[in-house]
Amino acid sequence: MQPDKILYTATAIAKGGRDGRGITPGGPLDLQLSTPKELGGAGGPGTNPEQLFAIGYAACFIGAMRAVGARENIKVPDDVAIESHVGIGPAGSAFTIAVELKIELPGMDRETAQKLVDTAHQVCPYSNATRGNVDVVLTLV
């Protein structure tokens, strides 16, 4: 699926791979990267691509829920939160990721919350990018 029109393009530069730096030209990001011990690295104070993907997916999914809420006249709670889990591991001779989004919609009835989440999953760019390629589990908590 391709966009009909590009509205915004993010630019980032990775230097040195998983143990390097990640920057966005002109700011505001300049992140130290480090490989987790579980993947054979030293661990350390830096972040990793899976953490960045987890934050991006969660934030984008909240945006999708708000867009759907506005369209469907569903009030999305101000204190909506998503705990995002991105796992990485081998799949045959390659590596792949798996995602779980634990979605909190305080004060919303379960049926409306489920409808909102299901519709947002069809709208969210991260969901559309991963669909059919990455195992994504959506859990209402």
Side-chain angles (χ1 to χ4, degrees):
M1 180 185 312
Q2 293 291 325
D4 295 330
K5 179 181 177 182
I6 300 293
L7 300 176
Y8 168 77
T9 300
T11 301
I13 300 168
K15 295 183 178 184
R18 285 182 167 271
D19 292 307
R21 296 204 74 71
I23 61 170
T24 52
L29 297 180
D30 185 350
L31 303 170
Q32 179 181 345
L33 303 174
S34 64
T35 302
K37 289 181 182 180
E38 297 86 347
L39 295 177
T47 191
N48 61 64
E50 293 72 34
Q51 291 170 322
L52 296 170
F53 190 89
I55 290 169
Y57 200 160
C60 190
F61 200 89
I62 290 172
M65 288 192 299
R66 290 188 187 204
V68 168
R71 184 179 72 204
E72 305 275 332
N73 201 27
I74 299 170
K75 171 69 173 109
V76 177
D78 292 335
D79 55 349
V80 59
I82 296 178
E83 182 180 301
S84 181
H85 299 260
V86 175
I88 183 171
S93 61
F95 274 76
T96 192
I97 60 173
V99 175
E100 181 181 14
L101 301 181
K102 294 183 177 182
I103 304 158
E104 297 179 40
L105 292 159
M108 184 176 284
D109 71 86
R110 189 117 183 128
E111 183 178 331
T112 303
Q114 191 64 60
K115 176 184 174 190
L116 178 68
V117 166
D118 291 345
T119 307
H121 191 44
Q122 298 306 309
V123 171
C124 177
Y126 277 69
S127 293
N128 288 327
T130 58
R131 186 170 289 109
N133 190 41
V134 173
D135 183 26
V136 176
V137 175
L138 305 174
T139 305
L140 273 172
V141 294

